[in-house]
Amino acid sequence: MALLLLPGGASGGASAEPSDLEEAAGVLAPFKRDLMQALQDGLAQGPVEAIGACQLRAPEIADERSRDGVRVGRTSHRLRNPENAAPDWVAPLLEAYVGNPADRAPRLVPLPGERAGYVEPIGVKPLCLTCHGETLAPAVAERITALYPDDRATGFAVGDLRGLFWLEFRPSR
Ligand code: HEC
């Protein structure tokens, strides 16, 4: 099983068909939507409150969306929450994207048991800077440090690679 396929490399013939990529993107979509909704609901209360909302809701949403043979998550080369460390099959992909930050193309790789893995790079948007930017409001910085003493997820600029969404699923065909 060729698990160490690098971005840009051939990824096993049929497994890289656009239809598979589209299916994967569709399975991932509700996870992304719920996360963005939770972030926006949190930010409506204020940035410091939103940190707590992310801390509470992000893992719950990943659990809620990891059902029926599907597993989803987020990871990064600069983690805030160490529990978001990349699964084994994601780690080499993450490394490759970090080594070639201009590459933002999603990737599909075969996994054992007729399953597939899908990754999608996450870019930093202006909205993200409140909690991941170079300069944080003191109250925001304080709350983040209190909750995540090992935080490495600040200092980003708009357009930077923030990390990856990842998905494990069983393609329908
Ligand atoms: C209100 C503060 C806040 C904002 C704004 C915010 N985040 Fe986060 N982010 C967090 C917190 C808190 C965590 C840790 C969540 C957890 O414990 O799983 C996190 C975790 C992450 C992770 C998971 C990897 C890791 O480092 O643990 C990614 C990826 C991420 N954020 C991307 C983004 C992106 C992209 C945006 C903009 C669309 C954004 N964040 C906006 C607070 C924020």
Side-chain angles (χ1 to χ4, degrees):
M1 177 63 59
L3 286 182
L4 301 184
L5 297 170
L6 296 177
S11 39
S15 66
E17 291 293 323
S19 61
D20 285 349
L21 283 170
E22 275 166 32
E23 182 182 7
V27 177
L28 183 66
F31 175 55
K32 293 165 64 177
R33 189 193 59 218
D34 289 358
L35 278 173
M36 191 51 89
Q37 188 64 54
L39 177 61
Q40 279 164 351
D41 290 351
L43 286 172
Q45 313 289 308
V48 176
E49 289 76 6
I51 297 163
C54 281
Q55 187 207 21
L56 192 72
R57 284 295 291 146
E60 280 179 3
I61 291 168
D63 281 353
E64 288 160 17
R65 293 291 171 191
S66 294
R67 314 233 134 134
D68 303 324
V70 168
R71 259 184 87 210
V72 290
R74 294 184 300 173
T75 190
S76 179
H77 49 305
R78 284 159 57 185
L79 285 170
R80 172 148 294 166
N81 184 344
E83 296 194 2
N84 292 324
D88 285 351
W89 68 268
V90 177
L93 290 164
L94 177 61
E95 212 173 295
Y97 282 109
V98 170
N100 185 11
D103 179 6
R104 298 291 165 90
R107 290 282 185 294
L108 201 59
V109 296
L111 296 180
E114 286 171 35
R115 293 165 62 78
Y118 172 78
V119 289
E120 202 176 285
I122 304 172
V124 173
K125 300 194 182 81
L127 165 73
C128 318
L129 298 181
T130 308
C131 302
H132 296 295
E134 279 158 24
T135 326
L136 305 191
V140 168
E142 203 176 297
R143 185 93 180 105
I144 289 173
T145 311
L147 291 174
Y148 304 97
D150 300 324
D151 182 41
R152 293 178 58 217
T154 60
F156 288 94
V158 171
D160 283 353
L161 177 71
R162 172 66 183 89
L164 299 178
F165 289 109
W166 59 264
L167 161 73
E168 294 173 15
F169 74 120
R170 182 182 288 266
S172 59
R173 44 170 215 101

